[in-house]
Amino acid sequence: EDQVTQSPEALRLQEGESSSLNCSYTVSGLRGLFWYRQDPGKGPEFLFTLYSAGEEKEKERLKATLTKKESFLHITAPKPEDSATYLCAVQSVGAQKLVFGQGTRLTINP
Amino acid sequence: GAVVSQHPSRVICKSGTSVKIECRSLDFQATTMFWYRQFPKQSLMLMATSNEGSKATYEQGVEKDKFLINHASLTLSTLTVTSAHPEDSSFYICSARSSGGEEQFFGPGTRLTVL
């Protein structure tokens, strides 16, 4: 059974304090790993898709990386507007659905 | 691009009534749509997967006679909560994926409150 575990559950940072969020996964065969951002009361917003170990993608202050067992979402010099819940999900080969982790609630204090 | 809308954004209804939620892909054709439910401070729980023109596939524990899903066109899927009860109150979110794409794009969600 595919599983996704995200850590930490919650993270508070000061503005400008860089850090990383972790997503550990087990799948029979990885088709893709996805990162989403979700603001309170809204649907998830797509950030990145990673397909193979060693792949990296960047968007503004965010960079996602992938190994065979985990993915990291690095946030550099965050701003208060980066505060949100970040969700990681995996899709296995032959499956249509995503399996989501529980998310990391990120708070950036000014 | 890749915009998904949901209507209504909020609905309040009396116990025993039925509520229909629409999910539309505005700028792409969605061969597959997904319906999720989310409780406060929890992650998304997949309810069902629907492919255009086919019957929906429901996750274990989801009552298909209570949560009716129709995916009659490549841009529209509907979720009908039949005979709603207070325990059905939740945040319902749809997502859509095109035939050539891997990513799921999510709608803004619908907050259902059953009195």
Side-chain angles (χ1 to χ4, degrees), chain B residues 73-89:
Chain B
S73 79
L74 286 172
T75 59
L76 173 65
S77 177
T78 60
L79 167 67
T80 301
V81 183
T82 62
S83 187
H85 292 284
E87 56 265 30
D88 298 323
S89 298

Side-chain angles (χ1 to χ4, degrees), chain A residues 7-21:
Chain A
S7 62
E9 187 175 316
L11 180 63
R12 285 185 175 272
L13 300 172
Q14 289 298 121
E15 184 172 1
E17 181 183 1
S18 302
S19 188
S20 297
L21 313 182

Side-chain angles (χ1 to χ4, degrees), chain B residues 40-87:
Chain B
K41 295 190 177 182
Q42 293 190 22
S43 192
L44 288 79
M45 183 190 82
L46 180 65
M47 300 174 65
T49 301
S50 73
N51 292 295
E52 186 265 338
S54 303
K55 288 185 178 180
T57 302
Y58 290 82
E59 294 298 300
Q60 191 171 9
V62 178
E63 299 175 60
K64 62 181 180 181
D65 294 331
K66 180 169 185 62
F67 298 100
L68 302 179
I69 292 172
N70 183 281
H71 189 173
S73 79
L74 286 172
T75 59
L76 173 65
S77 177
T78 60
L79 167 67
T80 301
V81 183
T82 62
S83 187
H85 292 284
E87 56 265 30

Side-chain angles (χ1 to χ4, degrees), chain A residues 4 6 23 25 27 30-37 44-51 57 64-66 71-73 86-93 95-101, chain B residues 34 36 96-97 101-106:
Chain A
V4 178
Q6 291 187 245
C23 170
Y25 65 93
V27 291
L30 182 68
R31 182 167 181 174
L33 184 141
F34 304 83
W35 282 98
Y36 289 87
R37 167 193 171 129
E45 173 191 346
F46 171 74
L47 294 174
F48 305 108
T49 308
L50 301 168
Y51 294 103
K57 288 191 177 174
T65 62
L66 181 66
S71 176
F72 290 94
L73 184 66
Y86 290 85
L87 298 168
C88 171
V90 297
Q91 182 182 6
S92 59
V93 174
Q96 286 190 311
K97 67 181 183 181
L98 297 180
V99 176
F100 279 88
Chain B
F34 305 83
Y36 295 82
R97 188 174 65 207
E102 300 290 348
E103 296 83 8
Q104 288 185 30
F105 296 97
F106 286 81

